[in-house]
Amino acid sequence: MEHLPITRLNMANQVRHILGLSGGKDSTALAIYMRDKVPEIEYFFCDTGAELPETYEYLTKLEVYLGKKIVRLSSGRSFDHWLKIYRGTLPSPNMRWCTKVLKIDPMENWIGSDRAVSYVGIRADEANRKGYITSKKNIMTVFPFVDDGLELKDIESLLIEAGVGKPSYYEWRSRSGCYFCFYQRRSEWISLHDRHPDLFDKAINYEQKKQFQDTASSSSYTWTKGESLVDLIARRDSVKSFKERKNESSMLLDILSDDDDCDDDDFCSSCHL
C-alpha cells in the first residue's frame, strides 16, 4: 500500500477540510454523510502497518463509493522501529506511545501549518466521548453527527443505504484498530488466533520480546492485563464458553456500539483517527 510523505506544501490562505478514517463504522458513515456536503474534503487513514487485513479491504471498498482516494499516512517507520526507540516497552493504557507516533504525529505533520477543519465521527448518543481534539491552533475540530443529532440507528442506515455495510471484522471483533490492540477483549484475542494465526503469533513474539532482547525493558507487561497470550489460548474453551453464555442481544449491542469505544474509561479514542 502506497503512503504519502508526512510533509505537504502549505496551501496559503486556503482552508482544508479533512476527515480521518479508522476503518470503523462511525468514521465511515461520516465520510458518506459528508461526501456531497463538502466536495473538497480530503479523506485520510493513518496506517500503523499493523492493521487487520479486513480493514484494508474495507477502505478499498469505501474508496469506490466515495470516488476519491483515501490518503494513506504513516510515520515513515515501522512499529518495530518505534518499539526499539521505546526500549521494548509495549504500548499500554498507561503509555500509549503508539497513538502519538503512528497516528497523531503523521496527521499533524501532513496538515503542517495549513488551516484545516477536521471532521470527527462522534455520534449524538455518545455524550461521554470527546474524540481527538488537537492543541494546534490552525486545526478546528467539528462533530457533524453531534451537531445534526445523528445517533447509532442513523449511522446504521447510512451504511446500509450506501451499500457499504460494516467491515467484516465485526463478525468477531467490536472495534477497529491494530491487530495487537491492548484494548481487545479476551474473546477477541481468541478470535484473532482462529482467523489470523500468523498475526496472533506475532503478538506473542512482541509480548515475549523475542525480537528485542537487546533493548527490551524488564517489564512483564502482557497485552491482556494479568495474563499472557500463551496462557489465554491455553484456556480458550472456557473463554469461548463464557462468551456463548452471554445474552445474544447484549452481544449484538456490544458489536454495534463499541468499535470506537472501550470497556476502559480511559480509552484513547484518537487511536481511531
Side-chain angles (χ1 to χ4, degrees):
M1 187 175 294
E2 183 179 355
H3 296 84
L4 293 184
I6 59 177
T7 57
R8 182 186 177 103
L9 294 176
N10 183 52
M11 301 166 65
N13 300 320
Q14 182 175 342
V15 176
R16 294 169 61 186
H17 296 263
I18 62 171
L19 193 158
L21 292 157
S22 68
K25 70 180 187 323
D26 290 338
S27 62
T28 298
L30 184 61
I32 293 168
Y33 188 65
M34 299 305 300
R35 184 187 69 166
D36 298 327
K37 292 179 171 60
V38 186
E40 69 273 23
I41 201 165
E42 300 175 69
Y43 303 104
F44 70 91
F45 171 68
C46 292
D47 189 355
T48 64
E51 310 293 332
L52 292 166
E54 294 95 324
T55 298
Y56 295 123
E57 293 169 4
Y58 191 59
L59 290 171
T60 299
K61 181 179 180 180
L62 181 58
E63 278 184 328
V64 174
Y65 176 83
L66 295 174
K68 184 181 291 189
K69 190 74 174 176
I70 297 171
V71 178
R72 269 68 167 179
L73 303 178
S74 77
S75 69
R77 300 283 190 171
S78 67
F79 176 81
D80 289 4
H81 166 83
W82 292 110
L83 186 56
K84 288 181 179 179
I85 294 297
Y86 283 87
R87 300 185 60 78
T89 301
L90 294 174
S92 70
N94 295 323
M95 190 175 182
R96 294 173 291 207
W97 58 258
C98 52
T99 300
K100 181 181 186 304
V101 301
L102 296 175
K103 288 185 175 286
I104 295 176
D105 288 351
M107 185 271 284
E108 291 189 343
N109 288 329
W110 176 61
I111 296 171
S113 60
D114 298 347
R115 291 188 297 138
V117 178
S118 175
Y119 297 83
V120 177
I122 291 179
R123 307 187 308 266
D125 55 344
E126 297 179 299
N128 295 328
R129 283 188 61 211
K130 295 180 180 179
Y132 169 68
I133 301 178
T134 180
S135 60
K136 294 174 71 70
K137 297 185 183 301
N138 58 307
I139 305 174
M140 180 177 69
T141 304
V142 296
F143 307 96
F145 288 158
V146 174
D147 293 341
D148 296 346
L150 272 67
E151 301 183 349
L152 177 59
K153 58 182 175 58
D154 303 303
I155 272 59
E156 287 288 296
S157 296
L158 282 168
L159 296 174
I160 292 171
E161 291 171 6
V164 174
K166 298 188 294 293
S168 59
Y169 63 72
Y170 278 123
E171 296 171 3
W172 59 277
R173 180 170 160 148
S174 58
R175 60 184 60 83
S176 58
C178 299
Y179 69 84
F180 49 60
C181 182
F182 43 82
Y183 282 117
Q184 287 184 91
R185 300 181 176 101
R186 285 173 167 79
S187 61
E188 292 173 344
W189 276 111
I190 290 174
S191 293
L192 177 69
H193 171 272
D194 294 346
R195 293 173 180 260
H196 300 292
D198 56 328
L199 299 182
F200 188 85
D201 287 345
K202 286 183 178 180
I204 288 178
N205 288 337
Y206 284 132
E207 191 175 68
Q208 297 178 344
K209 301 181 176 64
K210 289 182 178 179
Q211 298 146 303
F212 305 97
Q213 292 178 355
D214 57 330
T215 59
S217 70
S218 59
S219 172
S220 59
Y221 170 78
T222 54
W223 289 121
T224 299
K225 187 176 181 180
E227 184 174 36
S228 72
L229 294 182
V230 171
D231 291 339
L232 174 62
I233 206 65
R235 64 180 191 91
R236 57 171 294 150
D237 290 344
S238 63
V239 175
K240 293 186 75 171
S241 176
F242 174 78
K243 181 180 178 182
E244 289 167 1
R245 291 197 303 270
K246 290 179 65 180
N247 181 274
E248 185 175 350
S249 62
S250 295
M251 290 174 61
L252 180 60
L253 181 62
D254 285 345
I255 290 172
L256 293 179
S257 65
D258 269 2
D259 77 311
D260 288 327
D261 203 351
C262 188
D263 294 335
D264 192 312
D265 291 337
D266 195 32
F267 177 64
C268 182
S269 59
S270 57
C271 284
H272 301 277
L273 279 168

